[in-house]
Amino acid sequence: MPEISATLLNRINPIMDTLKPAAIRAFDAQVSDVPGIIKLTIGEPDFDAPAKIKAAAVASIKNNESHYGKTRGSLALRQAISDFLRRKYELDYSADSEIIVTVGAMEALETSLRTILKPGDEVIVPTPGYPMYLSILKSLGAVPICVNTAVNGFKLTPQQLADELYHHNAKAIIFNFPSNPTGVTYTAKELAELAAVMQQHDIFVLADEIYSEFTYADHHVSLAKYLPNQTILVSGASKAYAMTGYRVGFVSAPAPLINEITKFHQYTVTTHINSSMAAATVAFNECDAAISLGD
Amino acid sequence: MPVITNDLLKKINPVMDQLQPGSIRAFDEQVSEIEDIIKLTLGEPDFDAPEKVKAAAIASVENNESHYAKTPGNIALREAMAAFLSRKYDLNYEPATEILVTLGATEAIQISLATILEPGDEVIIPTPTFPLYESDVISLGGVPVFVNTQPDGFVLTPERLAATLADHPTAKCLVFNYPSNPTGVTYTATQLEALANIIKQYDVFVMSDEIYSELTYTQQHVSMAQYLPEQTILISGASKAYAMTGYRIGLLAAPAALVKHITKLHQYAVTTHVNSAMAAATVAFNECDDEIAVMRDAYQTRREMLVHAFTDMGLTVASPDGAFYLFIKIPAAFGDDDFKFAVTLAQEAKVALIPGSSFGPGGQGYVRLSYAASEAKLNTAVERIRIYLEGMKKREGEQYARI
């Protein structure tokens, strides 16, 4: 039971006191004690991971793939991600140089933001949004510019975006769709119009499209289709393939940015876990049918 | 093929330009092209993970533990880690509040430093050492203060530490890594206690990276946390001892008030660890003391063979007390140019070792050999180095003869 002295504890980075553990998880933990409660709190698929995904993880463990993986993730998985992005969203990312495998979309977000932001940088965040964006920005000393979209049916409009970019010298926009928490998403036309505004500024767009496989009205269209040169595309296997616990996320972006993001990935986790990567390779390559069962 | 404009690329965090990809991995990749090369470059055990560790990982996958785990890691693993620290090192950490499961020691190091450092803060780093500490400090806007331990046989002496702290009284953190990567040198209980007595006089954190603690050959490992629990952030993990680097299990133990803060950054960085890897590590920490002993004996055999061989070749090595590294003084003909020696050795002898200057001040003139590689590989490597050095001497002799 080591006890730290108050004076030493006071020496930690003062930002830490302003950071809170994720509010969603905290609330979930709090209500978990209520007898008989039905919790619809966490974005956690109730499906188990498909059997062939599990088989791939087991085979990886049995084959003693217990040694360090490649820094950016196994090439097989990066190729599977590249193929997935092409097949599903008509995107063109090279497995060699434009994709990195991360520990969930969370690491993808955190390392990407850390790569582009320095303390004091402004970042436009449409709200309501996933609260972790604000937490990560705060931890990096960046300044969130929250844009309330409730007035427009929870959609950011080109006019709203243009106004914000006029008033703020923002370094980046965090753009999440289909949206957590609203479920709202954007049509191809809406994206094209927003991209036209973004194109007029030297601004990074962090597109968090982790829910891309869950669109029920239209097929998902990626922002990267309209704005490939400015987009840092974040996604992963967690939600679509019901494999949150495998923690497989990825970033796709122009190669020079991936080079930079790779440094922080290496400093943060060294590399991903082989059995998770083997599982995700099968997910992206062979489990389109399993996604549809989510109907 | 998205193409970013130069104007936009210039807008990234300016600190990125000061950061280099890991130089060890970079050198490793560079020499990997050489045909028939034997690489003794990476700290990667050649053993496979123990069977019961694998069985636990498989059971976890088959039992559909594919959902989010608890943020600080599952409690069974944290209990196993606490029991391990108590059984092996007499340490007393509470699983629920004082232990955090991280993605390798790497994540533990990064989020600890990110929790305590503000831009401009000084961090004392004894060198030569693992280059990640410096990269992390710089990336956070901190200022590394290197202390070259080479003149003292790669041991930080109480005198040198006292002088350094006197020069940098507001330093925020001291990074301590032993058994050391890259030198293999470790510290005795007496040495640690003397250092702890000095550190106690300052409000400074000690990040003690003891990831190689199970691999000591001359004595039982003693943890810094035994002498300085209030100030220590203890970092360890399952990677090196249990030959499960790919499972990425790191361990952080510290006072609860600190772990609470560090956990927030863990959540921001990765959310939580992977269930199957945690199930595997639980068995490792609880049930695999015997497996560690077998691997440690194997390393010890290799170490003795190597020390004998290099001494025989007229080369000196730093005191190889622990980890699985030898830090070898390069032949006098190369002066202090360890990079040239490492490249020449790779090209002509087909043996790859890491240039010592990759590890900071005091590393120049040395190369690091990792004996985590198999005995057969090590034997071949030794023979190749021997033949190369003999040839070198012969060529030198001929040169003199011509003069």
Side-chain angles (χ1 to χ4, degrees):
Chain A
M1 284 287 291
E3 292 290 338
I4 189 170
S5 76
T7 47
L8 186 56
L9 189 59
N10 270 335
R11 293 197 74 198
I12 65 169
N13 188 338
I15 281 181
M16 293 308 298
D17 280 326
T18 71
L19 303 179
K20 299 272 175 283
I24 297 172
R25 289 202 146 210
F27 183 83
D28 178 74
Q30 190 186 326
V31 297
S32 294
D33 295 333
V34 176
I37 193 152
I38 294 179
K39 293 195 299 172
L40 306 175
T41 46
I42 304 276
E44 163 94 73
D46 67 323
F47 299 102
D48 292 323
K52 53 186 162 187
I53 289 179
K54 291 162 57 181
V58 168
S60 166
I61 296 163
K62 283 193 177 152
N63 292 339
N64 292 312
E65 296 174 4
S66 54
H67 304 282
Y68 286 122
K70 287 218 183 306
T71 302
R72 288 182 184 183
S74 73
L75 188 58
L77 175 53
R78 283 179 283 147
Q79 192 59 57
I81 292 168
S82 172
D83 294 345
F84 168 85
L85 292 174
R86 178 172 293 108
R87 182 173 75 240
K88 295 275 186 173
Y89 313 120
E90 293 171 16
L91 302 178
D92 182 19
Y93 285 102
S94 142
D96 271 331
S97 59
E98 294 163 351
I99 293 172
I100 179 168
V101 178
T102 57
V103 179
M106 193 69 103
E107 192 215 335
L109 289 168
E110 209 271 344
T111 50
S112 298
L113 288 170
R114 208 140 48 101
T115 298
I116 56 178
L117 299 178
K118 59 179 192 304
D121 279 346
E122 292 182 323
V123 178
I124 293 174
V125 185
T127 59
Y130 183 45
M132 291 306 286
Y133 302 137
L134 301 184
S135 301
I136 293 173
L137 291 177
K138 220 182 219 180
S139 78
L140 298 171
V143 182
I145 309 294
C146 292
V147 182
N148 183 350
T149 60
V151 285
N152 305 312
F154 301 111
K155 281 190 188 184
L156 182 70
T157 65
Q159 189 55 51
Q160 229 179 352
L161 178 62
D163 287 349
E164 295 298 335
L165 288 171
Y166 178 78
H167 290 294
H168 297 280
N169 185 25
K171 174 80 70 81
I173 306 170
I174 299 180
F175 197 57
N176 165 229
F177 70 102
S179 154
N180 174 7
T182 67
V184 166
T185 195
Y186 291 79
T187 65
K189 182 166 171 289
E190 288 165 335
L191 286 172
E193 287 168 3
L194 287 168
V197 176
M198 294 164 182
Q199 239 154 21
Q200 294 162 29
H201 299 264
D202 267 332
I203 190 164
F204 296 100
V205 184
L206 209 141
D208 178 355
E209 303 182 14
I210 184 77
Y211 296 99
S212 61
E213 283 300 289
F214 296 130
T215 54
Y216 308 109
D218 286 310
H219 194 68
H220 177 81
V221 181
S222 174
L223 183 66
K225 196 172 173 190
Y226 297 102
L227 202 69
N229 305 341
Q230 288 169 256
T231 299
I232 299 173
L233 176 63
V234 167
S235 190
S238 292
K239 308 291 182 179
Y241 301 105
M243 47 191 293
T244 50
Y246 288 75
R247 314 290 316 114
V248 174
F250 67 83
V251 184
S252 309
L257 273 182
I258 292 290
N259 283 341
E260 301 298 330
I261 293 169
T262 300
K263 295 178 190 170
F264 275 137
H265 172 66
Q266 196 173 25
Y267 298 171
T268 308
V269 300
T270 311
T271 174
H272 210 301
I273 292 155
N274 295 311
S275 57
S276 282
M277 292 196 282
T281 305
V282 168
F284 285 114
N285 278 339
E286 303 175 25
C287 293
D288 286 359
I291 296 182
S292 319
L293 288 176
D295 291 350
Chain B
M1 280 287 292
V3 179
I4 189 168
T5 65
N6 275 332
D7 283 344
L8 187 56
L9 189 59
K10 270 191 219 138
K11 292 188 80 175
I12 64 171
N13 186 344
V15 84
M16 297 310 296
D17 283 335
Q18 295 175 54
L19 303 176
Q20 296 308 324
S23 55
I24 297 174
R25 287 200 151 211
F27 186 83
D28 177 73
E29 276 166 32
Q30 187 187 326
V31 295
S32 295
E33 312 282 312
I34 298 172
E35 209 184 322
D36 187 34
I37 187 111
I38 294 184
K39 295 195 296 173
L40 307 177
T41 45
L42 297 184
E44 163 93 73
D46 68 316
F47 298 103
D48 293 322
E51 280 305 319
K52 51 188 161 187
V53 165
K54 291 163 56 182
I58 290 168
S60 168
V61 172
E62 284 174 349
N63 293 337
N64 293 312
E65 296 175 2
S66 54
H67 303 282
Y68 284 124
K70 285 206 186 317
T71 302
N74 71 39
I75 191 70
L77 174 54
R78 283 179 286 151
E79 280 167 359
M81 287 171 166
F84 169 87
L85 293 175
S86 163
R87 180 172 78 242
K88 297 273 187 174
Y89 313 120
D90 274 327
L91 302 177
N92 183 14
Y93 285 102
E94 181 62 44
T97 56
E98 295 167 348
I99 291 182
L100 177 65
V101 179
T102 58
L103 259 287
T106 303
E107 189 211 339
I109 293 164
Q110 204 280 333
I111 59 180
S112 296
L113 290 170
T115 297
I116 59 181
L117 296 184
E118 295 167 70
D121 279 345
E122 290 182 324
V123 177
I124 297 170
I125 306 178
T127 60
T129 195
F130 186 42
L132 182 69
Y133 309 126
E134 178 192 354
S135 302
D136 275 335
V137 170
I138 290 174
S139 77
L140 294 164
V143 181
V145 176
F146 296 121
V147 185
N148 181 355
T149 62
Q150 190 270 333
D152 303 307
F154 302 109
V155 171
L156 180 67
T157 61
E159 294 75 21
R160 211 177 276 278
L161 175 62
T164 307
L165 282 167
D167 286 346
H168 303 273
T170 60
K172 186 68 80 67
C173 184
L174 164 69
V175 176
F176 209 56
N177 165 233
Y178 71 102
S180 154
N181 174 8
T183 67
V185 168
T186 195
Y187 290 77
T188 64
T190 316
Q191 287 171 320
L192 286 170
E193 198 174 2
L195 292 171
N197 283 335
I198 295 165
I199 298 167
K200 254 180 221 171
Q201 298 162 30
Y202 293 84
D203 269 327
V204 64
F205 292 99
V206 180
M207 191 173 78
S208 194
D209 179 354
E210 304 179 17
I211 184 78
Y212 296 100
S213 61
E214 281 299 288
L215 304 175
T216 57
Y217 310 108
T218 52
Q219 58 174 61
Q220 281 286 314
H221 177 82
V222 182
S223 174
M224 179 58 102
Q226 192 174 334
Y227 296 101
L228 208 65
E230 309 81 8
Q231 287 169 260
T232 301
I233 301 171
L234 174 63
I235 288 170
S236 189
S239 293
K240 308 291 180 174
Y242 301 102
M244 44 193 293
T245 49
Y247 287 76
R248 313 290 317 111
I249 296 284
L251 173 174
L252 181 150
L258 206 53
V259 169
K260 201 177 92 189
H261 286 297
I262 297 172
T263 302
K264 297 178 204 169
L265 294 189
H266 170 65
Q267 193 171 33
Y268 301 175
V270 299
T271 311
T272 176
H273 210 299
V274 174
N275 293 306
S276 57
M278 290 196 282
T282 305
V283 168
F285 284 112
N286 279 337
E287 303 175 26
C288 292
D289 286 359
D290 292 345
E291 282 79 354
I292 292 186
V294 170
M295 290 189 262
R296 180 172 45 224
D297 288 349
Y299 292 133
Q300 181 143 14
T301 306
R302 298 173 194 180
R303 163 188 172 272
E304 273 154 28
M305 181 278 284
L306 290 168
V307 171
H308 186 263
F310 286 114
T311 310
D312 205 43
M313 291 178 219
L315 298 177
T316 54
V317 300
S319 182
D321 312 317
F324 33 55
Y325 303 114
L326 286 189
F327 212 45
I328 307 165
K329 183 99 187 80
I330 65 174
F334 285 87
D336 259 356
D337 197 344
D338 48 271
F339 199 83
K340 186 176 172 198
F341 176 69
V343 170
T344 310
L345 198 69
Q347 286 167 346
E348 304 202 358
K350 314 265 189 216
V351 177
L353 309 177
I354 298 288
S357 43
S358 316
F359 303 98
Q364 65 277 12
Y366 285 80
V367 282
R368 186 192 76 175
L369 177 152
S370 164
Y371 55 91
S374 72
E375 220 171 311
K377 255 190 189 177
L378 291 170
N379 282 322
T380 311
V382 162
E383 268 325 290
R384 289 182 183 185
I385 295 172
R386 190 193 305 279
I387 290 166
Y388 168 74
L389 290 178
E390 278 167 5
M392 196 179 86
K393 271 190 200 137
K394 208 172 146 206
R395 286 192 296 276
E396 277 173 9
E398 282 164 5
Q399 269 178 6
Y400 286 124
R402 278 201 293 274
I403 295 163

